[in-house]
Amino acid sequence: MVDSVKLNDSTSIPQLGFGTYLVPPEETAATVGAALEVGYRHIDTAQMYGNEAQVGEAVAASGIARDDIYLTSKLNNSNHGRDDVLRSFDETLEKLKVDRLDLFLIHWPLPTRYDGDFVSTWKAMLELKEDGRLTSVGVSNFQPDHLQQIIDATGVAPAVNQIEAHPYFRNDGARLASHAHAIAVEAWGPLGQGAVLKDEVIGEIAGETGRAASQVILRWHLQRGDIIFPKSMRRERMEENFAIFDFTLTDEQVSRIDALDQGAGGRVGPDPDTFDYVG
Ligand code: NAD
C-alpha cells in the first residue's frame, strides 16, 4: 500500500510513483501501461522528455479514473517567461489528454539564463492555479537561494522541490532548505540512475534483509520521507521497485546508507547553479 505525503497546499501525493525520463516516445505507452498494471498511480513526465502524449495515451487506455492517477509534468527550459508558461501548459494538458494536471514544476531554475529571472516564471506558474486546471505548483532543481528568492517575491512556497537525491548525493543543503519552508522533497534519480545499485554496503544490507539492492535504496528514501518515482522499462523491475512497503530498515542500516554520501562529488546530474541547457 503506497502511502501519501501531505503537501503544504493541503493536497496529497502518492509517495511512490513511476518516472519516465529517457523512456522513448514509441515505447512510452506500453511502459506506462505496464506500470499502471503493476499498481503505480503517480506518473512523472516533463515537456523535455517528449513523451507526454504517450503518457496520456496510456492513462486514457488504462480505464483508471482520472482522479485516481496523479500526473506531474514540468516546464521545459525553453518555456520560461509568462507567455510561454501559459502557452506550453495548454499544450501539456492537450498532450496528456486531461483537463487538469496535478502538479506542474519549473524544471530548472536556469539562473544564468533569462537574466536570472525565474521569479517571473514562478509568478506565471502561480497564475495557472487560478482557473482550476492545475492543482499544485512546484519547482525542480532549486537551490536554497532560488527558493528564498521566489518566496520573498510572492509569499508563496512551492508545494514540492524535485531535486537529485540518493545515497551518493544526499543533497542535504537543498533538502533541508525545502523542509524549512514546508516544501516536500521529491528525490529524482533515486537509484543514482543505477550508480548506487552495485554499492558494497547496499549489497550487504540487501543480504541482511533478503531484499534486492534497488529495494534497499528505495526503502531508505521512503524512511527519509521523500517522494520517489524510480524508472525502469522492465516489468519485473517495476514490480520489484513497487514491493517496498513490507519491510523496514533498522536505524543502524539507515546510518550505514547515510554514510555513503559523497557530497557534490556524488552527483550524477548537472549542478543547478550552472546548468544552462535550453535546447
Ligand atoms: P533512477 O535512479 O530511477 O534509475 C533508473 C535506472 O536504474 C535505469 O537505468 C533502470 O534500468 C535502472 N533500474 C531501475 N530499477 C531497477 C531495478 N529494480 N534493478 C536494476 N536496475 C534498475 O533514475 P532516473 O530515471 O533518472 O530518475 C527517476 C525519475 O526522476 C525520472 O524517470 C524522471 O521522471 C525524474 N527525473 C527528474 C529530473 C529533474 O531534473 N527534475 C532529472 C532526472 C530524472
Side-chain angles (χ1 to χ4, degrees):
M1 174 69 187
V2 177
D3 291 329
S4 285
V5 172
K6 191 92 187 269
L7 302 181
N8 63 15
D9 60 7
S10 303
T11 64
S12 51
I13 181 171
Q15 192 179 9
L16 176 65
F18 184 75
T20 63
Y21 176 52
L22 294 181
V23 180
E26 62 278 13
E27 292 179 62
T28 298
T31 301
V32 172
L36 292 169
E37 278 173 23
V38 167
Y40 292 87
R41 290 293 180 270
H42 164 185
I43 309 293
D44 183 89
T45 182
Q47 294 174 348
M48 192 189 286
Y49 303 165
N51 58 17
E52 287 174 309
Q54 293 77 14
V55 169
E57 235 172 79
V59 169
S62 72
I64 300 165
R66 168 68 190 93
D67 285 350
D68 292 339
I69 301 182
Y70 194 97
L71 285 176
T72 299
S73 193
K74 315 184 193 84
L75 181 82
N76 198 20
N77 291 345
S78 58
N79 288 331
H80 279 233
R82 182 172 183 276
D83 291 352
D84 286 335
V85 169
L86 303 186
R87 177 194 50 77
S88 73
F89 179 72
D90 289 349
E91 288 169 9
T92 281
L93 288 187
E94 204 174 302
K95 286 183 179 159
L96 286 168
K97 291 173 259 304
V98 293
D99 50 20
R100 180 188 65 79
L101 187 65
D102 295 282
L103 177 63
F104 195 47
L105 312 177
I106 301 180
H107 205 149
W108 290 89
L110 304 174
T112 65
R113 294 274 184 185
Y114 302 99
D115 298 323
D117 182 18
F118 46 77
V119 166
S120 298
T121 301
W122 176 242
K123 287 180 179 162
M125 297 285 286
L126 294 177
E127 266 185 63
L128 294 174
K129 277 186 71 171
E130 285 168 11
D131 64 7
R133 292 184 307 155
L134 176 62
T135 303
S136 295
V137 57
V139 297
S140 177
N141 299 299
F142 270 46
Q143 300 282 49
D145 59 312
H146 305 143
L147 292 175
Q148 197 63 55
Q149 281 184 58
I150 57 172
I151 295 167
D152 285 349
T154 62
V156 185
V160 311
N161 189 13
Q162 183 178 128
I163 53 175
E164 179 180 343
H166 46 76
Y168 286 171
F169 179 51
R170 286 186 354 212
N171 203 350
D172 284 340
R175 205 169 161 270
L176 299 178
S178 301
H179 289 166
H181 295 292
I183 301 167
V185 170
E186 298 191 326
W188 70 250
L191 303 170
Q193 299 186 329
V196 189
L197 287 165
K198 298 255 176 312
D199 186 89
E200 206 175 301
V201 171
I202 299 292
E204 282 165 20
I205 297 172
E208 291 160 23
T209 53
R211 294 292 175 146
S214 60
Q215 293 177 315
V216 168
I217 300 165
L218 297 174
R219 183 71 211 176
W220 173 80
H221 284 283
L222 291 187
Q223 290 183 212
R224 303 177 97 204
D226 288 354
I227 300 154
I228 47 171
F229 23 83
K231 173 221 128 176
S232 173
M233 295 177 62
R234 289 164 54 170
R235 190 177 176 118
E236 68 275 15
R237 289 180 173 176
M238 295 178 196
E239 284 169 353
E240 186 171 273
N241 296 346
F242 199 71
I244 54 175
F245 293 94
D246 58 348
F247 77 111
T248 308
L249 300 172
T250 64
D251 290 347
E252 188 269 337
Q253 288 166 333
V254 167
S255 302
R256 277 151 67 202
I257 301 174
D258 283 345
L260 299 176
D261 187 29
Q262 302 168 9
R267 276 191 194 278
V268 296
D271 181 340
D273 282 317
T274 53
F275 186 60
D276 65 356
Y277 173 80
V278 169

